[in-house]
Amino acid sequence: MTSEVVENEFEFYSKAEKYWKDVPPTVDGMLGGYGHISSIDINSSRKFLQRFLRDGPNRTGTTRALDCGAGIGRITKRLLLPLFKTVDMVDVTEDFLTKAKSYLGEEGRRVRNYFCCGLQDFSPEPNSYDVIWIQWVIGHLTDNHLSDFLKRCRAGLRPNGIVVIKDNMAQEGVIMDDVDSSVCRDLDVVRKIIRRAGLHLLAEERQENFPDEIYHVYTFAMR
């Protein structure tokens, strides 16, 4: 539980904001020096996502996606814009969203909104998104804020829409990272928070071909 490792909630959030303000607005900056894994990450995410976008009675639509913790738009550019008509981005760091406007190039014209906001304070527009993609950012939310945010995401989905979380998973319990003021939860804790938010797990997958020294990364789809 984050309540056991986060002593001061205000400090937890403000330290994280300060950390990201000093990170260069590059792919390498977004990935903590692991920019070389970006293509492996995107290709796996595309395969995972496309199973929900294929033909079928419960097929997820491709009208609009939301990129949460979007940074400079690495996922928006390479995963979401090629698959969706329009994308919205939300990130707490204004400099990243400013950089996104040049990084995304011509296709960036299909980004409708750049929301500068922490996810603990952000509410997706109800009944608006086919996919809400949340990658490498849940560690910046307390358990209660993550559960509440996921409830708001659930309300933000269109019919057959899905919420996707892709993130690091600890081997056991909850681990605090004082450098970027984030937590890493184990699989059981994440699944409990998903259930608490009233969401139902549709698929779960471990990322392959990442460096051995980093945390295991899992992707979850839910609605």
Side-chain angles (χ1 to χ4, degrees):
M1 302 286 288
T2 52
S3 55
E4 292 164 16
V5 294
V6 176
E7 291 172 16
N8 182 315
E9 200 174 273
F10 175 79
E11 202 174 275
F12 175 68
Y13 286 112
S14 56
K15 265 182 77 176
E17 280 193 47
K18 186 175 182 306
Y19 170 84
W20 286 106
K21 277 197 171 87
D22 293 333
V23 168
T26 61
V27 168
D28 211 42
M30 299 302 96
L31 294 176
Y34 282 87
H36 60 284
I37 69 170
S38 185
S39 288
I40 298 168
D41 168 58
I42 295 288
N43 290 338
S44 297
S45 294
R46 189 182 299 111
K47 278 184 195 156
F48 182 88
L49 186 52
Q50 280 177 327
R51 71 174 86 167
F52 297 98
L53 307 181
R54 293 194 191 107
D55 291 338
N58 297 315
R59 187 176 73 87
T60 297
T62 54
T63 301
R64 195 169 164 203
L66 174 64
D67 185 358
C68 300
I72 62 168
R74 181 185 73 91
I75 291 162
T76 290
K77 182 183 178 87
R78 298 194 53 200
L79 176 68
L80 300 177
L81 281 172
L83 295 172
F84 295 87
K85 289 190 180 72
T86 62
V87 178
D88 288 348
M89 294 169 59
V90 55
D91 197 275
V92 76
T93 307
E94 196 165 354
D95 284 353
F96 294 165
L97 295 175
T98 301
K99 173 66 177 180
K101 288 166 188 174
S102 58
Y103 171 73
L104 294 171
E106 277 294 294
E107 293 298 304
R109 287 178 304 176
R110 294 190 289 112
V111 174
R112 297 180 357 140
N113 295 295
Y114 295 86
F115 299 109
C116 188
C117 187
L119 298 183
Q120 69 275 19
D121 299 316
F122 182 73
S123 293
E125 189 183 326
N127 193 35
S128 293
Y129 297 103
D130 296 297
V131 169
I132 297 178
W133 193 273
I134 308 165
Q135 183 161 346
W136 279 322
V137 69
I138 65 168
H140 285 301
L141 296 175
T142 64
D143 290 352
N144 287 340
H145 282 158
L146 176 54
S147 175
D148 289 346
F149 175 61
L150 289 175
K151 285 175 189 169
R152 297 194 297 273
C153 286
R154 194 180 76 199
L157 293 178
R158 292 164 53 123
N160 297 320
I162 57 169
V163 177
V164 178
I165 288 174
K166 187 170 188 178
D167 221 303
N168 301 334
M169 298 293 139
Q171 292 283 28
E172 188 178 354
V174 180
I175 300 165
M176 182 77 191
D177 184 338
D178 284 319
V179 176
D180 68 354
S181 190
S182 70
V183 296
C184 186
R185 303 168 173 93
D186 71 26
L187 279 165
D188 282 344
V189 173
V190 173
R191 289 188 197 114
K192 275 177 193 156
I193 292 169
I194 288 168
R195 283 198 300 271
R196 202 169 107 198
L199 286 159
H200 171 66
L201 260 180
L202 303 171
E204 179 185 308
E205 182 176 282
R206 183 176 160 191
Q207 172 70 50
E208 295 178 346
N209 302 317
F210 268 8
D212 291 338
E213 71 271 16
I214 66 174
Y215 283 115
H216 293 168
V217 171
Y218 277 78
T219 311
F220 306 87
M222 63 208 90
R223 65 164 64 105

